[in-house]
Amino acid sequence: MDIIEKIIISEEEIAEIVKRLGKEISKDYEGKNILLICLLKGSILFLTDLMRQLTVPCKVDFMLASSYKGGTKKSGVGVEIKDGLSIDIKDQDVLIVEDILESGYTLKHIVNILSKRSPKSLKICTLLDKPKLRATDIEADYVGKIIPNDFVLGYGLDYDEYYRNLPFIGIINPKYL
Ligand code: IMP
Ligand code: MG
């Protein structure tokens, strides 16, 4: 596939990572209920796989967050959040489910919004982490895999809204950048 320079996480490895995260989270939240907040759109595949690995009761809700406008370029106008939550998060154990943590601006924004609504607890689970690109003090409580700075796509992650359906995660061919 021309758009992919190299597959960095295979379908099998994704399944292993998600299984491990599911175990860790289920153990930490034993005796509690979790409210999973999925950040659309990139986290949809991760959410649906992760929730099937949880052994504790969970509810799901969604928020739309976008920081990239077209291709791989940041919008430069900050993070756009569409708060479509239908569940009141007050006194709930909230776990934010994110596809990838980079600068942290997106999650900083989301955490600011959600923490004002008095959740009982608020934690972050990210499938991928690019710690070298961090520009905020945001860190995730659960990290699937640390990856290099390259732009990646597949398994929910898009390039210009496409390729979210690829079952693996790959680095983009630089000729598209
Ligand atoms: P941050 O706000 O800089 O932490 O960026 C996080 C958001 O940017 C994620 O929610 C993704 O939607 C998007 N993003 C960051 N890196 C990538 C990438 O390599 N591929 C696709 N989307 C990315
Ligand atoms: Mg995202």
Side-chain angles (χ1 to χ4, degrees):
M1 207 180 196
D2 190 49
I3 187 85
I4 300 287
E5 162 107 330
K6 185 180 162 213
I7 295 178
I8 55 162
I9 315 181
S10 67
E11 202 172 342
E12 293 73 27
E13 190 183 351
I14 293 172
E16 280 166 26
I17 291 170
V18 174
K19 209 167 175 175
R20 174 186 45 88
L21 288 172
K23 261 196 195 143
E24 246 177 83
I25 294 167
S26 299
K27 189 163 162 261
D28 290 354
Y29 285 84
E30 215 174 275
K32 298 177 182 170
N33 298 354
I34 311 179
L35 172 55
L36 299 168
I37 295 188
C38 170
L39 300 190
L40 296 170
K41 303 168 195 168
S43 311
I44 42 169
L45 301 196
F46 179 38
L47 171 88
T48 56
D49 285 341
L50 181 67
M51 63 190 288
R52 279 178 279 186
Q53 297 299 327
L54 297 180
T55 55
V56 290
C58 65
K59 298 190 270 194
V60 185
D61 212 341
F62 300 88
M63 280 174 104
L64 190 114
S66 52
S67 56
Y68 280 90
K69 284 274 149 57
T72 64
K73 304 282 185 306
K74 293 258 184 187
S75 68
V77 295
V79 186
E80 192 191 327
I81 310 283
K82 287 207 178 94
D83 178 357
L85 287 185
S86 62
I87 298 175
D88 185 4
I89 70 163
K90 188 171 187 292
D91 299 328
Q92 307 273 327
D93 289 305
V94 174
L95 181 62
I96 300 170
V97 178
E98 173 64 309
D99 51 1
I100 184 164
L101 171 56
E102 209 177 85
S103 67
Y105 286 127
T106 306
L107 280 169
K108 182 114 190 160
H109 229 77
I110 300 272
V111 166
N112 272 341
I113 294 171
L114 296 182
S115 56
K116 288 190 187 116
R117 300 183 192 168
S118 317
K120 195 195 288 172
S121 66
L122 184 58
K123 285 193 183 184
I124 296 167
C125 174
T126 187
L127 177 64
L128 304 175
D129 190 2
K130 294 180 186 170
K132 294 210 176 94
L133 295 182
R134 197 84 79 254
T136 61
D137 57 359
I138 289 284
E139 291 303 332
D141 300 277
Y142 303 96
V143 176
K145 187 165 183 169
I146 291 174
I147 60 165
N149 300 349
D150 312 86
F151 190 85
V152 293
L153 45 103
Y155 194 67
L157 293 151
D158 72 305
Y159 169 65
D160 230 353
E161 294 293 336
Y162 284 103
Y163 308 108
R164 296 190 196 273
N165 58 315
L166 298 179
F168 51 79
I169 294 166
I171 294 175
I172 195 169
N173 186 330
K175 79 178 189 199
Y176 288 91
L177 294 174

